[in-house]
Amino acid sequence: VSLYFNLRDKSGEELFFTSWRNFLTLVRLRAKGFDLAINMRTMVSLFSSVKIAVLMLAIGSKVNAGRNTEGRGWFLDLKIPELLLGTKHESEYDLDAVRLFTGEVKDKHFEIPISEMELKYATEFITRSAESFSRVKPHSDTMIMLPVRPPLLIGLHPGGAPSRRWPVVNFDNLINEIGKIYQNQIVFIVTGSAGEKYLGDEIIRAAEPLLNSGKIINIAGRMTITQTAAMIKLMSLCIANDTSSMHI
C-alpha cells in the first residue's frame, strides 16, 4: 500500500488531492474486511510507528503483525523482533513474517519466471536495435544475436527513489571509462519506468561521443517488468540504483 504521508513542501492544491487519495484508499481497504495486515518495513522512529499504527487501525484488520523495531511495534498482535541497524539480511526479516504462521521456511530459493516468449522478445529487441551483428553465446544455452565483436551487454538503471539515485553524471563518467577499454564491443541498455525515460535521454546526450564506438539504447517505459527481467538475464553486467532492477 502506498500512502503519501510526506506532506511537507506541498502546495494547498497538492495537499488537498494527496489527502483525498489517501482517504479513498483507506476506505477501499477497510471495505475489504482483511483478517490480517502485515507490516514488512523497519519503523525507524516513533513517528513512523504511529503512521503504521494509524494505517492498520484505519484498515480495521482483525490481526496486525510485523516488525517490532526496538519495541516500536507496540500495537502489533504478532511481533517480529528487530534492531534498527539489523543483524541479518533484509530478506530474512521478511521470511520471519512467514515463520510467524508456518513455523519454518523450507525453500529460500527466489526466482522471477521468464517465459521463452519474453526471452525471445528481449533478444529480438536487441537485434533490431543494433546496426550490425555477429552470433554469440551468452551465459545460458540460448543463442542470441548481438552487435559486432561482442560481447558486453551492460545494463544501466539510473532511476529509483530520488534519495537513492546515483547522479546521472556518474553514469556518464562510468560509460566513458568503460568505452575507453572496450570501445565498439559494448552495448548499454538503459532500463526504467516511463517516468524515468528522461534520465536515459540525459545519459545518451552526455555520452554522445561514445555512440561512435558503441551503442546506448533507452528502453525505459517500453517493457513490462518481466520483459525487463528477460533483458537483464541477457546482460553481462547491470549497474543499478537501489531499486527493482537491482533486486531482479
Side-chain angles (χ1 to χ4, degrees):
V1 176
S2 295
L3 295 178
Y4 303 90
F5 285 105
N6 184 10
L7 303 180
R8 293 175 297 179
D9 302 321
K10 289 184 179 291
S11 67
E13 184 178 2
E14 289 176 323
L15 183 60
F16 173 78
F17 284 110
T18 297
S19 301
W20 184 245
R21 284 199 302 270
N22 286 347
F23 175 74
L24 292 178
T25 298
L26 291 176
V27 169
R28 287 194 293 267
L29 290 173
R30 190 175 184 87
K32 291 181 180 294
F34 287 108
D35 294 311
L36 172 66
I38 305 176
N39 170 48
M40 306 290 284
R41 293 292 175 259
T42 298
M43 292 182 283
V44 298
S45 65
L46 176 61
F47 179 60
S48 63
S49 68
V50 170
K51 288 194 297 185
I52 298 299
V54 170
L55 174 60
M56 289 186 164
L57 178 64
I59 290 174
S61 51
K62 296 176 182 177
V63 177
N64 296 321
R67 299 189 184 188
N68 182 27
T69 313
E70 298 188 347
R72 297 189 183 102
W74 41 271
F75 54 91
L76 298 172
D77 302 303
L78 300 174
K79 300 177 174 67
I80 301 170
E82 179 189 30
L83 296 177
L84 183 59
L85 295 179
T87 56
K88 51 189 175 184
H89 192 277
E90 188 75 7
S91 62
E92 286 297 326
Y93 286 108
D94 292 336
L95 289 173
D96 282 343
V98 178
R99 296 185 182 102
L100 279 177
F101 307 103
T102 65
E104 71 174 311
V105 176
K106 295 182 180 180
D107 185 2
K108 297 182 182 180
H109 180 256
F110 175 76
E111 181 179 356
I112 297 178
I114 301 173
S115 69
E116 288 297 323
M117 182 178 296
E118 288 164 333
L119 191 59
K120 180 181 179 181
Y121 176 85
T123 300
E124 291 179 347
F125 184 92
I126 294 297
T127 302
R128 291 193 305 269
S129 300
E131 296 176 355
S132 56
F133 304 87
S134 63
R135 203 167 185 80
V136 297
K137 189 173 184 178
H139 304 300
S140 68
D141 292 332
T142 305
M143 297 296 290
I144 66 172
M145 298 293 286
L146 288 179
V148 173
R149 279 207 332 238
L152 292 182
L153 188 62
I154 299 178
L156 304 172
H157 190 96
S163 61
R164 299 181 181 183
R165 289 180 184 175
W166 208 32
V168 169
V169 65
N170 289 359
F171 281 96
D172 292 329
N173 292 336
L174 181 60
I175 287 172
N176 288 323
E177 289 302 314
I178 294 175
K180 291 176 184 177
I181 299 172
Y182 295 100
Q183 298 182 5
N184 65 343
Q185 300 181 52
I186 49 177
V187 174
F188 290 97
I189 303 292
V190 182
T191 60
S193 66
E196 295 167 341
K197 181 181 180 298
Y198 75 96
L199 294 171
D201 293 338
E202 288 181 12
I203 288 175
I204 291 175
R205 282 194 297 269
E208 188 173 356
L210 180 65
L211 298 181
N212 295 325
S213 57
K215 184 86 174 176
I216 305 177
I217 305 170
N218 187 3
I219 66 169
R222 300 170 65 180
M223 292 192 175
T224 65
I225 188 68
T226 50
Q227 287 171 341
T228 300
M231 185 69 74
I232 292 175
K233 184 179 178 66
L234 300 177
M235 294 174 183
S236 300
L237 173 67
C238 183
I239 303 165
N241 293 318
D242 183 7
T243 187
S244 57
S245 289
M246 182 194 73
H247 297 292
I248 291 175

